[in-house]
Coordinates of all heavy atoms in Angstrom, one line a residue:
G76 N 120.7 105.5 101.0 CA 120.0 106.1 102.1 C 120.7 106.9 103.1 O 120.2 107.6 103.9
L77 N 122.1 106.8 103.0 CA 122.9 107.5 104.0 C 122.9 109.0 103.7 O 123.3 109.8 104.6 CB 124.3 106.9 104.0 CG 124.4 105.5 104.6 CD1 125.8 105.0 104.6 CD2 123.9 105.5 106.1
R78 N 122.5 109.4 102.5 CA 122.4 110.8 102.2 C 121.4 111.5 103.2 O 121.8 112.6 103.8 CB 121.9 111.1 100.8 CG 122.8 110.5 99.7 CD 122.3 110.9 98.3 NE 123.0 110.1 97.3 CZ 122.9 110.3 96.0 NH1 122.1 111.3 95.6 NH2 123.5 109.5 95.1
T79 N 120.3 110.9 103.4 CA 119.3 111.5 104.4 C 119.9 111.4 105.8 O 119.7 112.4 106.6 CB 118.0 110.7 104.3 OG1 117.5 110.7 103.0 CG2 116.9 111.3 105.2
V80 N 120.5 110.4 106.2 CA 121.1 110.2 107.5 C 122.1 111.4 107.8 O 122.0 112.0 108.8 CB 121.8 108.9 107.7 CG1 122.5 108.8 109.0 CG2 120.7 107.7 107.6
L81 N 123.0 111.6 106.8 CA 124.0 112.7 107.0 C 123.3 114.1 107.0 O 123.7 115.0 107.8 CB 125.0 112.7 105.9 CG 125.9 111.4 105.8 CD1 127.0 111.6 104.7 CD2 126.5 111.1 107.1
E82 N 122.3 114.3 106.2 CA 121.6 115.6 106.1 C 120.8 115.8 107.4 O 120.8 117.0 107.9 CB 120.7 115.6 104.9 CG 121.3 115.7 103.6 CD 121.9 117.1 103.2 OE1 122.0 117.9 104.2 OE2 122.2 117.3 102.1
E83 N 120.1 114.9 108.0 CA 119.2 115.1 109.0 C 119.7 114.8 110.4 O 119.1 115.2 111.4 CB 117.9 114.3 108.8 CG 117.2 114.7 107.5 CD 115.8 114.1 107.3 OE1 115.3 113.6 108.3 OE2 115.3 114.2 106.2
C84 N 120.8 114.2 110.5 CA 121.4 113.8 111.9 C 122.7 114.5 112.1 O 123.4 114.9 111.1 CB 121.5 112.3 112.0 SG 120.0 111.4 111.9
E85 N 123.1 114.7 113.3 CA 124.5 115.1 113.6 C 125.3 113.8 113.7 O 125.0 112.9 114.4 CB 124.5 115.8 115.0 CG 125.9 116.4 115.3 CD 125.9 117.1 116.7 OE1 124.8 117.2 117.3 OE2 127.0 117.5 117.1
V86 N 126.4 113.8 112.9 CA 127.2 112.6 112.8 C 128.6 112.9 113.3 O 129.2 113.9 112.9 CB 127.3 112.1 111.3 CG1 128.2 111.0 111.2 CG2 125.9 111.7 110.9
G87 N 129.2 112.0 114.1 CA 130.5 112.2 114.6 C 131.6 112.0 113.6 O 132.4 112.8 113.4
T88 N 131.5 110.8 112.9 CA 132.5 110.5 111.9 C 131.8 109.7 110.8 O 131.0 108.8 111.1 CB 133.7 109.7 112.5 OG1 134.3 110.4 113.5 CG2 134.7 109.4 111.4
L89 N 132.1 110.0 109.5 CA 131.7 109.2 108.4 C 132.9 108.3 108.0 O 134.0 108.8 107.7 CB 131.3 110.0 107.2 CG 131.0 109.3 105.9 CD1 129.8 108.4 106.0 CD2 130.7 110.4 104.8
W90 N 132.7 107.0 107.9 CA 133.7 106.0 107.5 C 133.4 105.5 106.1 O 132.4 104.9 105.9 CB 133.8 104.9 108.5 CG 134.1 105.3 109.9 CD1 133.3 105.8 110.9 CD2 135.4 105.4 110.5 NE1 134.0 106.1 112.0 CE2 135.3 105.9 111.8 CE3 136.7 105.0 110.1 CZ2 136.4 106.0 112.7 CZ3 137.8 105.2 110.9 CH2 137.6 105.7 112.2
M91 N 134.3 105.9 105.2 CA 134.0 105.6 103.8 C 135.3 105.6 103.0 O 136.2 106.5 103.1 CB 133.1 106.7 103.3 CG 132.7 106.6 101.8 SD 131.5 107.9 101.4 CE 132.5 109.4 101.4
L92 N 135.4 104.6 102.1 CA 136.6 104.5 101.2 C 136.2 105.2 99.9 O 135.2 104.9 99.3 CB 136.9 103.1 100.9 CG 137.4 102.3 102.2 CD1 137.6 100.8 101.9 CD2 138.7 102.9 102.7
R93 N 137.1 106.1 99.5 CA 136.9 106.9 98.3 C 138.0 106.6 97.3 O 139.2 107.1 97.5 CB 136.9 108.4 98.6 CG 135.7 108.8 99.5 CD 135.9 110.2 100.1 NE 136.9 110.2 101.2 CZ 137.3 111.3 101.8 NH1 136.9 112.5 101.3 NH2 138.2 111.3 102.7
P94 N 137.8 105.9 96.2 CA 138.8 105.5 95.3 C 139.6 106.6 94.7 O 140.8 106.4 94.4 CB 138.1 104.6 94.3 CG 136.7 105.1 94.3 CD 136.4 105.5 95.8
W95 N 139.0 107.7 94.4 CA 139.8 108.8 93.8 C 140.9 109.4 94.6 O 141.8 110.0 94.1 CB 138.8 109.9 93.4 CG 138.0 110.5 94.5 CD1 138.3 111.4 95.4 CD2 136.6 110.0 94.8 NE1 137.2 111.6 96.3 CE2 136.2 110.8 95.9 CE3 135.8 109.1 94.3 CZ2 135.0 110.6 96.5 CZ3 134.5 108.9 94.9 CH2 134.1 109.7 96.0
L96 N 140.9 109.1 95.9 CA 142.0 109.6 96.7 C 143.3 108.9 96.4 O 144.4 109.4 96.8 CB 141.7 109.4 98.2 CG 140.5 110.2 98.8 CD1 140.4 109.9 100.3 CD2 140.6 111.7 98.5
Y97 N 143.2 107.7 95.8 CA 144.4 106.9 95.5 C 144.7 106.8 94.0 O 145.5 106.0 93.6 CB 144.1 105.5 96.0 CG 143.6 105.5 97.4 CD1 142.2 105.3 97.7 CD2 144.4 105.9 98.5 CE1 141.7 105.4 99.0 CE2 143.9 105.9 99.8 CZ 142.6 105.7 100.0 OH 142.0 105.8 101.3
A98 N 144.2 107.8 93.3 CA 144.4 107.8 91.8 C 145.9 107.8 91.5 O 146.4 107.1 90.6 CB 143.7 109.0 91.2
A99 N 146.7 108.6 92.2 CA 148.1 108.7 92.0 C 148.9 107.4 92.2 O 149.9 107.1 91.6 CB 148.8 109.8 92.8
E100 N 148.3 106.5 93.1 CA 148.9 105.3 93.4 C 148.6 104.2 92.4 O 149.4 103.2 92.3 CB 148.5 104.8 94.8 CG 148.9 105.8 95.9 CD 148.4 105.3 97.3 OE1 148.7 104.1 97.6 OE2 147.9 106.1 98.1
I101 N 147.6 104.3 91.7 CA 147.1 103.2 90.8 C 147.2 103.7 89.3 O 146.9 102.8 88.4 CB 145.7 102.7 91.1 CG1 144.7 103.8 91.1 CG2 145.8 102.1 92.5 CD1 143.3 103.4 91.3
I102 N 147.5 104.9 89.0 CA 147.4 105.4 87.6 C 148.2 104.5 86.6 O 147.9 104.3 85.5 CB 147.8 106.9 87.5 CG1 147.4 107.4 86.1 CG2 149.2 107.1 87.8 CD1 147.4 108.9 86.0
D103 N 149.4 104.0 87.1 CA 150.2 103.2 86.2 C 149.6 101.9 85.8 O 150.1 101.2 84.9 CB 151.6 102.9 86.9 CG 152.4 104.2 87.0 OD1 152.1 105.2 86.3 OD2 153.4 104.2 87.8
R104 N 148.5 101.5 86.5 CA 147.8 100.3 86.2 C 146.7 100.4 85.2 O 145.9 99.5 84.9 CB 147.3 99.6 87.5 CG 148.5 99.4 88.4 CD 148.0 99.1 89.8 NE 147.3 97.8 89.9 CZ 146.8 97.2 91.0 NH1 147.0 97.9 92.2 NH2 146.2 96.0 91.0
F105 N 146.5 101.6 84.6 CA 145.5 101.9 83.6 C 146.1 102.3 82.3 O 147.2 103.0 82.3 CB 144.6 103.0 84.1 CG 143.7 102.6 85.3 CD1 144.1 102.9 86.6 CD2 142.5 102.0 85.1 CE1 143.4 102.5 87.6 CE2 141.7 101.7 86.1 CZ 142.1 101.9 87.4
T106 N 145.5 101.9 81.2 CA 146.0 102.2 79.9 C 145.5 103.5 79.3 O 146.1 104.1 78.5 CB 145.6 101.1 78.9 OG1 144.1 101.0 78.9 CG2 146.2 99.7 79.3
R107 N 144.3 104.0 79.8 CA 143.7 105.1 79.2 C 144.1 106.5 79.8 O 143.7 107.5 79.2 CB 142.2 105.0 79.3 CG 141.6 103.9 78.4 CD 140.1 103.7 78.6 NE 139.4 104.9 78.5 CZ 138.1 105.1 78.9 NH1 137.5 104.0 79.4 NH2 137.5 106.2 78.8
F108 N 144.8 106.5 80.9 CA 145.0 107.7 81.6 C 146.5 108.0 81.9 O 147.2 107.1 82.3 CB 144.3 107.8 82.9 CG 142.8 107.8 82.7 CD1 142.0 106.7 82.7 CD2 142.1 109.0 82.6 CE1 140.7 106.7 82.5 CE2 140.8 109.1 82.4 CZ 140.0 107.9 82.4
S109 N 147.0 109.2 81.6 CA 148.3 109.6 81.9 C 148.2 110.7 83.0 O 149.3 111.1 83.6 CB 149.1 110.1 80.7 OG 148.4 111.1 80.1
S110 N 147.0 111.3 83.2 CA 146.8 112.4 84.1 C 146.1 111.9 85.3 O 145.0 111.3 85.2 CB 146.0 113.5 83.4 OG 145.5 114.4 84.4
V111 N 146.7 112.1 86.5 CA 146.0 111.8 87.8 C 144.7 112.5 87.9 O 143.7 111.9 88.3 CB 147.0 112.1 89.0 CG1 146.2 111.9 90.3 CG2 148.2 111.2 88.9
E112 N 144.7 113.7 87.5 CA 143.4 114.5 87.6 C 142.3 113.9 86.8 O 141.1 113.8 87.2 CB 143.6 115.9 87.2 CG 144.5 116.7 88.1 CD 146.0 116.4 88.0 OE1 146.4 115.7 87.0 OE2 146.8 116.7 88.9
N113 N 142.6 113.4 85.6 CA 141.6 112.8 84.7 C 141.1 111.4 85.3 O 139.9 111.1 85.3 CB 142.1 112.5 83.3 CG 142.2 113.8 82.5 OD1 141.6 114.8 82.9 ND2 143.0 113.8 81.5
L114 N 142.0 110.7 85.9 CA 141.6 109.4 86.6 C 140.7 109.7 87.8 O 139.7 109.1 88.0 CB 142.8 108.6 86.9 CG 142.6 107.3 87.7 CD1 141.6 106.4 86.8 CD2 143.9 106.6 88.0
E115 N 141.1 110.7 88.6 CA 140.3 111.1 89.7 C 138.9 111.5 89.2 O 137.9 111.0 89.9 CB 140.9 112.3 90.4 CG 142.2 112.0 91.2 CD 142.7 113.3 91.8 OE1 142.3 114.4 91.5 OE2 143.7 113.2 92.6
R116 N 138.8 112.3 88.2 CA 137.5 112.7 87.7 C 136.7 111.4 87.2 O 135.5 111.4 87.5 CB 137.7 113.6 86.5 CG 136.4 114.2 86.0 CD 136.6 115.2 84.8 NE 137.6 116.2 85.2 CZ 138.8 116.4 84.7 NH1 139.2 115.5 83.8 NH2 139.6 117.3 85.1
R117 N 137.3 110.5 86.6 CA 136.6 109.3 86.1 C 136.1 108.5 87.3 O 135.0 108.0 87.3 CB 137.5 108.5 85.2 CG 136.9 107.2 84.7 CD 135.6 107.5 84.0 NE 135.0 106.2 83.5 CZ 133.7 106.1 83.1 NH1 132.9 107.2 83.2 NH2 133.2 104.9 82.7
L118 N 136.9 108.3 88.3 CA 136.5 107.5 89.5 C 135.4 108.2 90.2 O 134.5 107.5 90.7 CB 137.7 107.3 90.4 CG 138.8 106.4 89.9 CD1 140.0 106.5 90.8 CD2 138.3 105.0 89.7
R119 N 135.3 109.5 90.2 CA 134.2 110.2 90.8 C 132.9 109.9 90.0 O 131.8 109.8 90.5 CB 134.5 111.7 90.9 CG 135.4 112.1 92.0 CD 135.6 113.6 92.0 NE 136.4 114.0 93.2 CZ 135.9 114.2 94.4 NH1 134.6 114.1 94.6 NH2 136.7 114.6 95.4
E120 N 133.1 109.9 88.7 CA 131.9 109.7 87.8 C 131.3 108.3 88.0 O 130.1 108.1 88.0 CB 132.3 109.8 86.3 CG 132.6 111.2 85.9 CD 133.2 111.3 84.5 OE1 133.4 110.2 83.9 OE2 133.4 112.4 84.0
V121 N 132.1 107.3 88.3 CA 131.6 105.9 88.3 C 131.1 105.5 89.8 O 130.5 104.5 90.0 CB 132.6 104.9 87.8 CG1 132.8 105.1 86.3 CG2 133.9 104.9 88.6
Y122 N 131.4 106.4 90.7 CA 131.0 106.1 92.1 C 130.2 107.3 92.7 O 130.6 108.0 93.7 CB 132.2 105.8 93.0 CG 132.9 104.5 92.7 CD1 134.1 104.5 92.0 CD2 132.2 103.3 92.9 CE1 134.7 103.3 91.7 CE2 132.8 102.1 92.6 CZ 134.0 102.1 92.0 OH 134.6 100.9 91.6
P123 N 129.1 107.7 92.0 CA 128.3 108.9 92.4 C 127.8 108.8 93.8 O 127.6 109.9 94.5 CB 127.2 108.9 91.4 CG 127.0 107.5 90.9 CD 128.4 106.9 90.9
N124 N 127.4 107.7 94.4 CA 126.9 107.6 95.7 C 128.0 108.1 96.7 O 127.6 108.8 97.7 CB 126.5 106.2 96.1 CG 125.3 105.7 95.3 OD1 124.3 106.3 95.3 ND2 125.4 104.6 94.6
L125 N 129.2 107.7 96.5 CA 130.3 108.2 97.4 C 130.5 109.7 97.3 O 130.7 110.3 98.3 CB 131.5 107.4 97.1 CG 131.5 105.8 97.2 CD1 132.9 105.2 97.0 CD2 130.9 105.4 98.6
V126 N 130.5 110.1 96.1 CA 130.7 111.6 95.8 C 129.6 112.4 96.6 O 129.9 113.4 97.2 CB 130.6 111.9 94.3 CG1 130.6 113.4 94.1 CG2 131.8 111.3 93.6
A127 N 128.3 111.9 96.5 CA 127.2 112.6 97.1 C 127.4 112.7 98.6 O 127.2 113.7 99.3 CB 125.9 112.0 96.8
L128 N 127.9 111.6 99.2 CA 128.1 111.5 100.7 C 129.3 112.4 101.1 O 129.2 113.1 102.1 CB 128.3 110.1 101.1 CG 127.1 109.1 100.9 CD1 127.5 107.7 101.3 CD2 125.9 109.6 101.8
E129 N 130.3 112.4 100.2 CA 131.5 113.3 100.5 C 131.0 114.7 100.5 O 131.4 115.5 101.4 CB 132.5 113.0 99.5 CG 133.8 113.9 99.7 CD 134.8 113.8 98.6 OE1 134.4 114.1 97.4 OE2 135.9 113.4 98.8

Side-chain angles (χ1 to χ4, degrees):
L77 292 177
R78 300 185 192 190
T79 304
V80 174
L81 295 187
E82 289 282 15
E83 298 191 11
C84 299
E85 184 181 355
V86 174
T88 305
L89 172 63
W90 299 85
M91 179 175 71
L92 297 173
R93 294 168 286 173
W95 52 86
L96 296 183
Y97 312 104
E100 298 180 47
I101 60 177
I102 191 168
D103 290 343
R104 301 168 68 178
F105 291 91
T106 59
R107 289 175 50 191
F108 292 92
S109 57
S110 164
V111 171
E112 291 75 16
N113 286 342
L114 179 55
E115 288 177 352
R116 186 179 304 111
R117 178 57 181 162
L118 291 172
R119 285 179 174 275
E120 289 173 354
V121 298
Y122 293 109
N124 291 305
L125 302 184
V126 171
L128 296 176
E129 180 188 60

